Amino acid sequence: MSNYRVRYQTIEFGDTDIHVRSLRDNQEFSDDFGIAEKLGISSSTWSLFGILWDSGLVLAHHMHTASTEGKRILELGCGIGLASLVLNRRNQDITATDYHPEAHAFLNKNTALNSDAEIPFLRTGWADEKTELGLFDIIIGSDILYDNYHAELVSEFIEQHAKPHCQVIIVDPGRKQTGRFSKEMVKRGYTFESHKPENCEYINGDYKGKIWSFTRV
């Protein structure tokens, strides 16, 4: 039985409403059977998957209008899955991944809240052995470069799942690892550009991060 508390909210994307269940705050914790601990997730970081972060909001709004028709899309570190939910509502071919043992349950709950089709999901980490997910046209993620070693791990995970022609979209709040990550992606044949998101009135305060777009053609 889960011992954490949750909150419910509705987020507007134009004329589309997405209903979201997230953790009440970042103090929530529930790991009675030590599943997260065995995966290396500490009590201090356990809640991070279940919070609606500004970078996740930016990514979701970006994917609401992005050109994704006919593309196979993979979300890395989906957390509560807001960007995946937006793409799912658009009837796009989205698959979600996350390392946290509670992420799949939250994603399923959120798709049910929106009366939408179940989103394919795989619990996997960037350092895990190669998955059976296959290859994707577009790979997305928000605030996934938060540790020093993530630049190499994430770029290698992307390489395992990217089609020869692939676009990678990463929303980053301004972490130092973006420079190293960009160099790793260039090694793999990508060009890139970055820009600040426009019209961030859905965030309290100015968003200091950027949307990074990596393209290999």
Side-chain angles (χ1 to χ4, degrees):
M1 182 177 179
S2 299
N3 297 317
Y4 51 75
R5 297 181 65 184
V6 299
R7 60 179 300 198
Y8 293 85
Q9 59 193 119
T10 298
I11 303 169
E12 297 181 1
F13 297 87
D15 58 358
T16 299
D17 289 341
I18 298 294
H19 309 296
V20 174
R21 172 183 180 259
S22 62
L23 291 176
R24 183 170 177 262
D25 54 47
N26 61 8
Q27 300 302 308
E28 301 302 320
F29 175 73
S30 180
D31 190 28
D32 292 344
F33 299 104
I35 297 174
E37 183 180 9
K38 291 176 182 177
L39 293 172
I41 300 172
S42 67
S43 58
S44 62
T45 61
W46 185 94
S47 65
L48 300 184
F49 87 97
I51 303 296
L52 185 56
W53 301 101
D54 285 351
S55 295
L57 278 166
V58 171
L59 179 63
H61 279 271
H62 185 73
M63 300 317 297
H64 174 60
T65 57
S67 177
T68 55
E69 293 293 336
K71 305 295 186 181
R72 190 167 187 236
I73 311 162
L74 176 68
E75 182 174 12
L76 309 180
C78 69
I80 61 172
L82 183 58
S84 289
L85 292 168
V86 169
L87 288 163
N88 198 40
R89 174 61 60 85
R90 293 179 55 200
N91 295 314
Q92 302 302 290
D93 184 0
I94 176 65
T95 298
T97 63
D98 200 283
Y99 192 58
H100 200 285
E102 291 288 335
H104 194 192
F106 270 71
L107 185 65
N108 282 344
K109 180 64 176 180
N110 282 327
T111 53
L113 283 175
N114 290 281
S115 300
D116 289 333
E118 186 172 322
I119 298 172
F121 175 90
L122 179 68
R123 194 203 69 75
T124 185
W126 302 317
D128 289 353
E129 295 181 5
K130 189 171 182 178
T131 72
E132 299 299 324
L133 288 168
L135 303 179
F136 295 82
D137 302 285
I138 301 174
I139 299 176
I140 64 175
S142 62
D143 198 4
I144 57 176
L145 302 171
Y146 45 86
D147 276 335
N148 289 333
Y149 55 88
H150 281 168
E152 291 78 11
L153 281 182
V154 174
S155 59
E156 180 56 33
F157 189 88
I158 289 172
E159 184 66 13
Q160 293 175 10
H161 298 91
K163 289 185 177 180
H165 303 285
C166 183
Q167 182 182 23
V168 178
I169 299 170
I170 305 295
V171 176
D172 186 87
R175 298 189 184 275
K176 297 178 180 179
Q177 286 73 32
T178 52
R180 289 172 57 192
F181 178 73
S182 298
K183 291 179 181 178
E184 291 294 330
M185 295 297 283
V186 169
K187 290 179 184 177
R188 292 166 171 80
Y190 290 85
T191 59
F192 69 91
E193 61 181 12
S194 65
H195 68 275
K196 292 202 66 165
E198 300 177 354
N199 304 320
C200 289
E201 65 277 1
Y202 50 84
I203 292 176
N204 293 325
D206 182 38
Y207 183 72
K208 301 186 185 306
K210 293 181 179 181
I211 300 173
W212 295 74
S213 179
F214 300 84
T215 305
R216 184 171 65 187
V217 296

